[in-house]
Amino acid sequence: MPAKTTLDAPAVPAEAVTPLIRGVVVLWRLTEAGGTLSASALERATGLARSTVDRIASTLARMGYVRLDGRDVVLAPRVMELGNACLAALGLPSLLASHADALADELDESVSLAVGDRDGIRFIHQATRRRAMSLSFRIGDLLPAERTAPGPLFATEWTDARWQTWRERRAADPEDRDFPAVPPRRHTSSDEDFVRRAARARADGWALDDQLIEPGLVAVSVPVRDPRAGGRIACVASVVSHTSRHTAARLRDTLLPRLRSAVADMERELREAPQPRPGRAPAGLATWTGASKQELGREFVESLARGLTVLTAFGEGRAELTLTDVAQATGLSRATARRALITYEYLGLVRPSGNRGFALTPRVLSLGFPPLSRTSLDRIATPHLAELADRVHESASLAVLTPSGDEIQYTARAATSRVMSVNVTVGTRLPAYATSLGRVLLADLPAGERQLGTRGEHGGHGGRGELRPLTPRTITDPAALATVLEEVRVRGYALVDEELEEGLRSVAVPVRDRTGRVVAAVNVAMHAARRSVEECVRDVLPELVETAGRVEEDLAVAGRFARVGLS
């Protein structure tokens, strides 16, 4: 993880932006802590004054990078746009992730891609297996090179200065406590052991991790070389397992040939891939920060917000930018952009590149990405549901369609304080055909895939797909239900009036992923006496649409390079 940056360090450039350094340090400490710290804990962790911490937290909250939950400061999915800029600029996940995923499916083992980050390695993609004994690291996690299989491979390209930095780090941190992603333990091998491992990796073209990170974990790694960069290592692909499935030697003997074949495909992809077309640069950020400053006054640290927007100027097809490029992309003055870049170079987040250009380093992934790279849709949605419930004074929920296709399952919920309220718990399953949530989800499916079943004759929910009358209002005719679903698809919402339970009225809208596919639905449910159908459409539906949009925005950011669990 990042060194304990202090503001009085003599190496701080005179033109560095002090508020930007402080803001980055706050994000680092939140990341190290797993995503959540109280304001007082942040004060202790950063050494900053409480008033400074509060102003930074307010600014980050305004940007959507953190959420203020009582006394706690919590990383929010929007902060992942910083790491997304780094991964998009790098280009490797977009080109190689599908190869890693296919290899993981074929071998039934976890596969990772990692890049070098100074004298450590940082993960940029994970294809994991769902088992009770799960083996994976988070995207963005930093590990000491000497305790990994990719490390010796990257070390084959280290300069003498890098080796010296590595030795100094080992001496200063003998238990690897600056690497929260691995269990701390005193170094059990000498520096020369790793030197020999690097030499062996150079000769063999692969490397092993035989329980160096922790007991039971083994891995075999092969470098992916970029033909466009003179054959330098672009990243390292690894197959990760545990000793109950493979010893390190067996992993090498049985899976290394297939890993090498997959790496050859990856290198072919790098060689043949066309140059990426520049993605759309952010727009209007300087104007937005100015308006935020005017609205929030002293609580908004404009230099921090403007500095952070500089990182989002990079991205797909924009891996290397000049000062002029950055200024044009963000709307900032050249002087402001220049000071931000000087600050980032000092912090190790940006490096000089090409002819008067700059490029992001993998260290940008340390700004909040790892704790959020395994987030789930329910975690993304819950704070938005809570805000919705507060605004409309009714319970709000999120649900997904079960694999069978005939039921919904509630995965997130925000209740409201009322004497009479809708009482459904997370995990509850209900028939899709009789719920607003279910109808939104069914409406997005092709007609042939909908589980509409047959008309039921008795009360209660029976077998799969059977349409039973749950109340006198329940639609049980498949043709009538199909017509209703088509109406839902066209108008974009579903309103169910006392069909699931007498007295229960609800309205729901879809939640779509980056591709436009409906992956979930959100609803507001209430007693029918509290609002008429017309009032639901007039007053509740707009609030619901706004909430779904916020969930979709967070889902789009979080799901760009990481997998978001839907249930």
Side-chain angles (χ1 to χ4, degrees), residues 152-499:
L153 294 163
F154 285 117
T156 63
E157 295 184 347
W158 284 1
T159 63
D160 290 342
R162 177 66 65 227
W163 276 106
Q164 181 60 31
T165 300
W166 172 78
R167 294 178 193 276
E168 291 171 356
R169 186 263 295 167
R170 290 258 296 178
D173 183 19
E175 295 182 350
D176 294 331
R177 293 193 177 274
D178 281 342
F179 296 87
V182 297
R185 73 181 185 199
R186 184 162 291 279
H187 299 156
T188 57
S189 61
S190 69
D191 290 0
E192 294 311 307
D193 286 338
F194 184 61
V195 173
R196 286 190 288 270
R197 286 182 63 210
R200 189 161 59 248
R202 183 190 303 275
D204 295 340
W206 52 267
L208 281 179
D209 166 9
D210 190 357
Q211 307 182 74
L212 295 170
I213 294 175
E214 64 176 55
L217 189 150
V218 292
V220 60
S221 297
V222 172
V224 180
R225 299 186 180 277
D226 190 347
R228 304 165 302 182
R232 292 183 62 83
I233 297 175
C235 66
V236 169
S238 304
V239 177
V240 186
S241 189
H242 55 83
T243 51
S244 61
R245 293 176 60 84
H246 295 279
T247 64
R250 185 167 181 269
L251 195 66
R252 173 198 63 207
D253 295 340
T254 60
L255 302 187
L256 178 58
R258 184 61 193 92
L259 175 58
R260 279 177 154 163
S261 176
V263 165
D265 292 338
M266 294 180 189
E267 292 175 342
R268 187 178 307 111
E269 186 82 51
L270 292 178
R271 182 171 55 252
E272 297 176 357
Q275 287 295 322
R277 301 180 63 180
R280 188 171 59 183
L285 294 173
T287 302
W288 177 87
T289 58
S292 297
K293 179 66 174 179
Q294 185 173 5
E295 181 178 342
L296 298 183
R298 188 176 181 278
E299 292 305 303
F300 186 79
V301 186
E302 190 171 13
S303 58
L304 167 58
R306 290 192 167 189
L308 287 172
T309 65
V310 165
L311 296 178
T312 64
F314 296 83
E316 186 175 7
R318 304 195 310 276
E320 298 182 4
L321 298 178
T322 65
L323 173 58
T324 299
D325 293 333
V326 172
Q328 290 176 345
T330 59
L332 299 173
S333 68
R334 282 174 55 89
T336 299
R338 178 175 174 274
R339 290 191 67 199
L341 290 167
I342 289 172
T343 305
Y344 286 134
E345 189 174 352
Y346 161 70
L347 294 171
L349 299 168
V350 162
R351 60 176 176 81
S353 178
N355 183 22
R356 295 188 298 175
F358 299 88
L360 300 182
T361 73
R363 203 178 194 188
V364 172
L365 291 169
S366 68
L367 300 177
F369 206 94
L372 296 170
S373 66
R374 289 184 185 168
T375 194
S376 57
L377 181 55
D378 61 286
R379 291 182 181 177
I380 291 173
T382 294
H384 297 296
L385 294 178
E387 292 175 358
L388 173 62
D390 286 343
R391 292 198 303 271
V392 301
H393 307 293
E394 302 288 358
S395 298
S397 303
L398 177 131
V400 297
L401 202 63
T402 62
S404 65
D406 65 339
E407 290 184 314
I408 60 165
Q409 181 171 5
Y410 287 79
T411 58
R413 183 161 172 75
T416 187
S417 298
R418 280 185 178 269
V419 174
M420 182 171 59
S421 61
V422 178
N423 184 23
V424 179
T425 59
V426 170
T428 297
R429 293 190 176 198
L430 292 174
Y433 69 93
T435 63
S436 61
L437 292 160
R439 288 184 184 175
V440 164
L441 293 165
L442 291 172
D444 187 62
L445 297 176
E449 296 180 17
R450 297 170 182 166
Q451 295 292 339
L452 303 188
T454 57
R455 184 195 300 269
E457 300 297 332
H458 307 289
H461 182 50
R464 176 179 174 181
E466 191 172 359
L467 306 183
R468 292 185 175 274
L470 306 178
T471 76
R473 292 173 175 259
T474 308
I475 296 176
T476 59
D477 178 65
L481 181 58
T483 299
V484 168
L485 293 179
E486 184 59 25
E487 293 173 353
V488 169
R489 188 188 67 79
V490 171
R491 70 190 181 195
Y493 72 92
L495 194 148
V496 171
D497 189 15
E498 301 188 75
E499 294 188 48

Side-chain angles (χ1 to χ4, degrees), residues 497-521:
D497 189 15
E498 301 188 75
E499 294 188 48
L500 178 69
E501 183 178 315
E502 292 185 20
L504 179 63
R505 182 172 291 150
S506 67
V507 58
V509 298
V511 173
R512 300 179 184 274
D513 64 11
R514 292 177 59 84
T515 68
R517 181 174 63 99
V518 175
V519 294

